Amino acid sequence: MFEENVSLSKYSNYKIGGPARYFLLADNASQITDAIAVAKKEKLPVFILGGGTNILFSDKGFNGLVIKPNLKAIKQQGNMVHVGAGASVAELLEFTVEKKLSGFEWAGGLPGTVGGAIYGNAGAFGGETKDRLVDVMSLVTSNERPEIKLRANKDAQFSYRSSIFKENNAAGKQEVILSALFKLEPGNQEKIKAAIEEKKQYRINRQPLEYPNIGSIFKNVDVKKLSKEVTKRFKEKIKLDPFPVLPTAVLNDAAGLKNTRCGDAMVSPKHPNFIVNMGHATEADVKAVMAIVCSKIRSEFGVILEQEVIFV
Ligand SMILES: Cc1cc2nc3c(=O)[nH]c(=O)nc-3n(C[C@H](O)[C@H](O)[C@H](O)COP(=O)(O)OP(=O)(O)OC[C@H]3O[C@@H](n4cnc5c(N)ncnc54)[C@H](O)[C@@H]3O)c2cc1C
């Protein structure tokens, strides 16, 4: 049923990570249910993988079962779109252009899958995944018998880069997101396409997409957590996304952290909240750079950075 010894670097946008002991590309919910039953019996930890665009995998790999839900169906229901968790955000956006549906343009260029975007309530340009979500279907695996659950938006406890799925996972109650329903509105095809392209272009201009990376390493800083002096110094840089934050890239730049390098992991000079893989970076290289950044930002600005990326 499972592939064995599968390199996770192949599934990581960072191109970092050792092997997964077992790996399953699951085509439907019942395969996922069966796989989890086997893992439980064998007492193997399970990790659910999306597009691997927000994860730093261990160099040692994952001594358990990695399941990648390959649920990619996208269907229109009037102004609503029902989408499988394994579809990429890019595929969803392509579909919205084809069907002339507006409301997801903010996600232009957002890498990863719909499942990953829901899990972390991914957001950009003032938009968040939760904004258009009607409901989300998941497989609760922590009960004795796996159970399919449909949650309305309000019950999914979305917050800044978080959801009930992330919270529950942290509490040891893993769920697999299977699909979601989004409510959009009819729009002009050319305008929808242009808005998506504009966001993509913005990212190409500002983000070091030419190197393997996993996006912003640290969360932007809530202005409430800044001292008066720091707030005053960076007043012009504060932005609303989705509440007043100071971009961590601004602090990293001001602290002179651009190009800080350990092995092949380096703070990008193009976007200093990205740590890029310059060739053969390891997990240890990335963590070493992260530690330098955290310590410098704490000593210079009294800010304790919170990581946005996930360690596995
Ligand atoms: C160049 C670049 C730019 C980025 N820009 C942004 C940005 O603007 N805004 C932003 O919010 N993020 C951004 N990111 C981070 C990342 O793209 C998002 O967090 C994305 O939503 C992660 O999706 P993924 O499918 O790759 O998830 P993965 O990285 O594979 O997984 C992330 C987490 O989601 C969980 N997960 C994934 N699928 C499921 C599922 N079906 N069921 C249960 N859990 C699941 C995983 O277990 C893991 O804990 C960026 C990343 C890159 C590389």
Side-chain angles (χ1 to χ4, degrees):
M1 183 177 189
F2 307 141
E3 283 178 77
E4 282 182 51
N5 228 5
V6 172
S7 163
L8 287 169
S9 70
K10 198 169 94 180
Y11 287 96
S12 152
N13 206 56
Y14 233 162
K15 306 283 169 258
I16 295 176
R21 184 162 161 206
Y22 299 107
F23 186 92
L24 174 71
L25 189 65
D27 287 323
N28 52 54
S30 74
Q31 267 188 11
I32 299 173
T33 312
D34 292 349
I36 287 171
V38 173
K40 268 192 185 165
K41 201 164 148 232
E42 302 297 325
K43 297 197 165 44
L44 290 169
V46 173
F47 181 74
I48 310 299
L49 175 64
T53 67
N54 207 25
I55 303 171
L56 174 59
F57 284 116
S58 161
D59 294 330
K60 294 197 187 79
F62 185 73
N63 188 16
L65 169 64
V66 172
I67 301 176
K68 183 168 165 60
N70 195 29
L71 316 168
K72 286 172 156 281
I74 311 183
K75 286 183 225 129
Q76 183 177 13
Q77 299 172 7
N79 289 341
M80 306 221 253
V81 177
H82 187 262
V83 53
S88 67
V89 170
E91 285 161 342
L92 173 60
L93 288 174
E94 227 173 86
F95 187 85
T96 63
V97 171
E98 189 192 314
K99 303 294 178 188
K100 303 181 187 140
L101 290 169
S102 170
F104 234 104
E105 293 87 329
W106 63 267
L110 180 76
T113 61
V114 170
I118 294 171
Y119 182 90
N121 186 27
F125 305 105
E128 286 186 297
T129 306
K130 70 166 177 50
D131 297 346
R132 297 290 180 151
L133 186 134
V134 177
D135 55 37
V136 47
M137 192 178 281
S138 63
L139 182 72
V140 180
T141 67
S142 49
N143 303 348
E144 202 171 316
R145 283 171 163 268
E147 178 201 346
I148 300 251
K149 195 160 187 156
L150 184 69
R151 280 194 187 83
N153 184 319
K154 67 174 173 38
D155 299 323
Q157 290 174 21
F158 288 114
S159 60
Y160 181 58
R161 301 294 178 267
S162 191
S163 68
I164 195 163
F165 306 105
K166 198 168 179 176
E167 296 289 326
N168 279 354
N169 198 25
K173 292 185 283 178
Q174 191 173 50
E175 290 189 37
V176 185
I177 300 164
L178 299 175
S179 64
L181 188 66
F182 292 97
K183 187 165 194 249
L184 303 172
E185 59 213 19
N188 173 291
Q189 191 172 44
E190 285 314 307
K191 279 192 185 154
I192 298 169
K193 206 172 164 182
I196 294 170
E197 282 310 315
E198 184 204 327
K199 309 289 185 281
K200 276 194 198 165
Q201 199 52 51
Y202 181 95
R203 288 175 185 274
I204 291 168
N205 294 341
R206 308 266 180 126
Q207 299 178 348
L209 306 182
E210 51 282 16
Y211 295 102
N213 71 82
I214 47 171
S216 291
I217 296 290
F218 298 101
K219 291 183 184 174
N220 288 332
V221 187
D222 187 339
V223 290
K224 287 193 211 119
K225 294 187 177 158
L226 299 174
S227 68
K228 273 194 193 132
E229 301 81 75
V230 175
T231 310
K232 199 170 156 207
R233 176 166 167 197
F234 296 106
K235 213 168 85 198
E236 254 95 85
K237 304 284 185 185
I238 290 169
K239 63 173 188 177
L240 211 62
D241 193 18
F243 49 84
V245 290
L246 178 62
T248 299
V250 170
L251 290 178
N252 291 355
D253 187 11
L257 286 161
K258 283 180 176 176
N259 299 308
T260 300
R261 183 167 180 159
C262 295
D264 265 350
M266 187 178 89
V267 174
S268 163
K270 192 170 173 186
H271 189 311
N273 194 19
F274 277 53
I275 296 175
V276 291
N277 179 355
M278 300 295 292
H280 298 96
T282 62
E283 171 209 5
D285 293 339
V286 176
K287 287 187 172 171
V289 177
M290 286 178 72
I292 295 172
V293 172
C294 281
S295 139
K296 191 95 195 272
I297 295 302
R298 190 174 185 167
S299 64
E300 292 238 342
F301 306 113
V303 170
I304 297 168
L305 291 178
E306 258 182 82
Q307 78 185 55
E308 180 163 322
V309 295
I310 292 159
F311 293 158
V312 176

PDB file of all heavy atoms in Angstrom, residues 181-195:
ATOM      1  N   LEU A 181     -15.782  24.418   0.259  1.00  0.00           N
ATOM      2  CA  LEU A 181     -16.696  25.138  -0.624  1.00  0.00           C
ATOM      3  C   LEU A 181     -16.434  26.634  -0.444  1.00  0.00           C
ATOM      4  O   LEU A 181     -16.424  27.126   0.685  1.00  0.00           O
ATOM      5  CB  LEU A 181     -18.135  24.789  -0.210  1.00  0.00           C
ATOM      6  CG  LEU A 181     -19.256  25.286  -1.108  1.00  0.00           C
ATOM      7  CD1 LEU A 181     -19.194  24.603  -2.477  1.00  0.00           C
ATOM      8  CD2 LEU A 181     -20.624  24.992  -0.463  1.00  0.00           C
ATOM      9  N   PHE A 182     -16.208  27.325  -1.561  1.00  0.00           N
ATOM     10  CA  PHE A 182     -15.960  28.768  -1.509  1.00  0.00           C
ATOM     11  C   PHE A 182     -17.064  29.492  -2.266  1.00  0.00           C
ATOM     12  O   PHE A 182     -17.484  29.042  -3.340  1.00  0.00           O
ATOM     13  CB  PHE A 182     -14.610  29.105  -2.169  1.00  0.00           C
ATOM     14  CG  PHE A 182     -13.423  28.596  -1.405  1.00  0.00           C
ATOM     15  CD1 PHE A 182     -12.808  27.399  -1.752  1.00  0.00           C
ATOM     16  CD2 PHE A 182     -12.911  29.311  -0.325  1.00  0.00           C
ATOM     17  CE1 PHE A 182     -11.712  26.915  -1.050  1.00  0.00           C
ATOM     18  CE2 PHE A 182     -11.812  28.841   0.387  1.00  0.00           C
ATOM     19  CZ  PHE A 182     -11.210  27.648   0.022  1.00  0.00           C
ATOM     20  N   LYS A 183     -17.494  30.607  -1.694  1.00  0.00           N
ATOM     21  CA  LYS A 183     -18.532  31.405  -2.378  1.00  0.00           C
ATOM     22  C   LYS A 183     -17.860  32.593  -3.057  1.00  0.00           C
ATOM     23  O   LYS A 183     -17.240  33.427  -2.397  1.00  0.00           O
ATOM     24  CB  LYS A 183     -19.544  31.898  -1.343  1.00  0.00           C
ATOM     25  CG  LYS A 183     -20.734  32.571  -1.981  1.00  0.00           C
ATOM     26  CD  LYS A 183     -21.863  32.703  -0.999  1.00  0.00           C
ATOM     27  CE  LYS A 183     -23.115  33.056  -1.730  1.00  0.00           C
ATOM     28  NZ  LYS A 183     -23.657  34.275  -1.572  1.00  0.00           N
ATOM     29  N   LEU A 184     -17.994  32.648  -4.373  1.00  0.00           N
ATOM     30  CA  LEU A 184     -17.403  33.740  -5.129  1.00  0.00           C
ATOM     31  C   LEU A 184     -18.523  34.567  -5.764  1.00  0.00           C
ATOM     32  O   LEU A 184     -19.689  34.380  -5.432  1.00  0.00           O
ATOM     33  CB  LEU A 184     -16.428  33.174  -6.171  1.00  0.00           C
ATOM     34  CG  LEU A 184     -15.318  32.305  -5.557  1.00  0.00           C
ATOM     35  CD1 LEU A 184     -14.496  31.622  -6.620  1.00  0.00           C
ATOM     36  CD2 LEU A 184     -14.411  33.133  -4.656  1.00  0.00           C
ATOM     37  N   GLU A 185     -18.170  35.476  -6.677  1.00  0.00           N
ATOM     38  CA  GLU A 185     -19.238  36.234  -7.346  1.00  0.00           C
ATOM     39  C   GLU A 185     -18.892  36.404  -8.817  1.00  0.00           C
ATOM     40  O   GLU A 185     -17.701  36.395  -9.176  1.00  0.00           O
ATOM     41  CB  GLU A 185     -19.442  37.583  -6.661  1.00  0.00           C
ATOM     42  CG  GLU A 185     -18.224  38.446  -6.657  1.00  0.00           C
ATOM     43  CD  GLU A 185     -18.125  39.320  -5.407  1.00  0.00           C
ATOM     44  OE1 GLU A 185     -18.772  39.040  -4.396  1.00  0.00           O
ATOM     45  OE2 GLU A 185     -17.358  40.290  -5.488  1.00  0.00           O
ATOM     46  N   PRO A 186     -19.902  36.558  -9.645  1.00  0.00           N
ATOM     47  CA  PRO A 186     -19.620  36.688 -11.082  1.00  0.00           C
ATOM     48  C   PRO A 186     -18.762  37.920 -11.338  1.00  0.00           C
ATOM     49  O   PRO A 186     -18.956  38.945 -10.678  1.00  0.00           O
ATOM     50  CB  PRO A 186     -21.004  36.867 -11.718  1.00  0.00           C
ATOM     51  CG  PRO A 186     -21.990  36.502 -10.667  1.00  0.00           C
ATOM     52  CD  PRO A 186     -21.335  36.672  -9.343  1.00  0.00           C
ATOM     53  N   GLY A 187     -17.819  37.811 -12.244  1.00  0.00           N
ATOM     54  CA  GLY A 187     -16.940  38.950 -12.533  1.00  0.00           C
ATOM     55  C   GLY A 187     -16.539  38.970 -13.993  1.00  0.00           C
ATOM     56  O   GLY A 187     -16.934  38.101 -14.770  1.00  0.00           O
ATOM     57  N   ASN A 188     -15.731  39.955 -14.314  1.00  0.00           N
ATOM     58  CA  ASN A 188     -15.246  40.112 -15.679  1.00  0.00           C
ATOM     59  C   ASN A 188     -13.950  39.296 -15.832  1.00  0.00           C
ATOM     60  O   ASN A 188     -13.001  39.477 -15.068  1.00  0.00           O
ATOM     61  CB  ASN A 188     -14.994  41.606 -15.915  1.00  0.00           C
ATOM     62  CG  ASN A 188     -14.328  41.872 -17.233  1.00  0.00           C
ATOM     63  OD1 ASN A 188     -13.161  41.544 -17.437  1.00  0.00           O
ATOM     64  ND2 ASN A 188     -15.081  42.462 -18.138  1.00  0.00           N
ATOM     65  N   GLN A 189     -13.952  38.410 -16.821  1.00  0.00           N
ATOM     66  CA  GLN A 189     -12.838  37.468 -16.972  1.00  0.00           C
ATOM     67  C   GLN A 189     -11.481  38.174 -17.105  1.00  0.00           C
ATOM     68  O   GLN A 189     -10.502  37.794 -16.464  1.00  0.00           O
ATOM     69  CB  GLN A 189     -13.089  36.575 -18.182  1.00  0.00           C
ATOM     70  CG  GLN A 189     -12.133  35.424 -18.255  1.00  0.00           C
ATOM     71  CD  GLN A 189     -12.509  34.445 -19.343  1.00  0.00           C
ATOM     72  OE1 GLN A 189     -12.858  34.855 -20.451  1.00  0.00           O
ATOM     73  NE2 GLN A 189     -12.490  33.166 -19.026  1.00  0.00           N
ATOM     74  N   GLU A 190     -11.445  39.210 -17.948  1.00  0.00           N
ATOM     75  CA  GLU A 190     -10.168  39.907 -18.174  1.00  0.00           C
ATOM     76  C   GLU A 190      -9.668  40.563 -16.885  1.00  0.00           C
ATOM     77  O   GLU A 190      -8.481  40.558 -16.580  1.00  0.00           O
ATOM     78  CB  GLU A 190     -10.315  40.967 -19.292  1.00  0.00           C
ATOM     79  CG  GLU A 190     -10.368  40.369 -20.688  1.00  0.00           C
ATOM     80  CD  GLU A 190      -9.276  39.295 -20.916  1.00  0.00           C
ATOM     81  OE1 GLU A 190      -8.093  39.600 -20.664  1.00  0.00           O
ATOM     82  OE2 GLU A 190      -9.621  38.162 -21.315  1.00  0.00           O
ATOM     83  N   LYS A 191     -10.636  41.145 -16.134  1.00  0.00           N
ATOM     84  CA  LYS A 191     -10.250  41.827 -14.878  1.00  0.00           C
ATOM     85  C   LYS A 191      -9.748  40.824 -13.844  1.00  0.00           C
ATOM     86  O   LYS A 191      -8.775  41.082 -13.129  1.00  0.00           O
ATOM     87  CB  LYS A 191     -11.454  42.584 -14.305  1.00  0.00           C
ATOM     88  CG  LYS A 191     -11.679  43.927 -14.974  1.00  0.00           C
ATOM     89  CD  LYS A 191     -12.679  44.742 -14.179  1.00  0.00           C
ATOM     90  CE  LYS A 191     -12.989  46.034 -14.915  1.00  0.00           C
ATOM     91  NZ  LYS A 191     -14.299  46.573 -14.580  1.00  0.00           N
ATOM     92  N   ILE A 192     -10.417  39.690 -13.774  1.00  0.00           N
ATOM     93  CA  ILE A 192     -10.002  38.658 -12.799  1.00  0.00           C
ATOM     94  C   ILE A 192      -8.582  38.202 -13.144  1.00  0.00           C
ATOM     95  O   ILE A 192      -7.693  38.142 -12.293  1.00  0.00           O
ATOM     96  CB  ILE A 192     -10.981  37.448 -12.821  1.00  0.00           C
ATOM     97  CG1 ILE A 192     -12.384  37.894 -12.409  1.00  0.00           C
ATOM     98  CG2 ILE A 192     -10.489  36.316 -11.930  1.00  0.00           C
ATOM     99  CD1 ILE A 192     -13.472  36.853 -12.645  1.00  0.00           C
ATOM    100  N   LYS A 193      -8.380  37.914 -14.424  1.00  0.00           N
ATOM    101  CA  LYS A 193      -7.079  37.434 -14.893  1.00  0.00           C
ATOM    102  C   LYS A 193      -5.982  38.474 -14.620  1.00  0.00           C
ATOM    103  O   LYS A 193      -4.906  38.139 -14.133  1.00  0.00           O
ATOM    104  CB  LYS A 193      -7.193  37.190 -16.408  1.00  0.00           C
ATOM    105  CG  LYS A 193      -6.250  36.180 -16.934  1.00  0.00           C
ATOM    106  CD  LYS A 193      -6.597  35.908 -18.372  1.00  0.00           C
ATOM    107  CE  LYS A 193      -5.452  35.199 -19.032  1.00  0.00           C
ATOM    108  NZ  LYS A 193      -5.714  34.944 -20.433  1.00  0.00           N
ATOM    109  N   ALA A 194      -6.305  39.737 -14.919  1.00  0.00           N
ATOM    110  CA  ALA A 194      -5.308  40.803 -14.747  1.00  0.00           C
ATOM    111  C   ALA A 194      -4.949  40.968 -13.269  1.00  0.00           C
ATOM    112  O   ALA A 194      -3.779  41.172 -12.924  1.00  0.00           O
ATOM    113  CB  ALA A 194      -5.850  42.113 -15.317  1.00  0.00           C
ATOM    114  N   ALA A 195      -5.958  40.870 -12.393  1.00  0.00           N
ATOM    115  CA  ALA A 195      -5.684  41.040 -10.949  1.00  0.00           C
ATOM    116  C   ALA A 195      -4.780  39.915 -10.444  1.00  0.00           C
ATOM    117  O   ALA A 195      -3.866  40.150  -9.646  1.00  0.00           O
ATOM    118  CB  ALA A 195      -6.997  41.067 -10.178  1.00  0.00           C
TER     119      ALA A 195
END
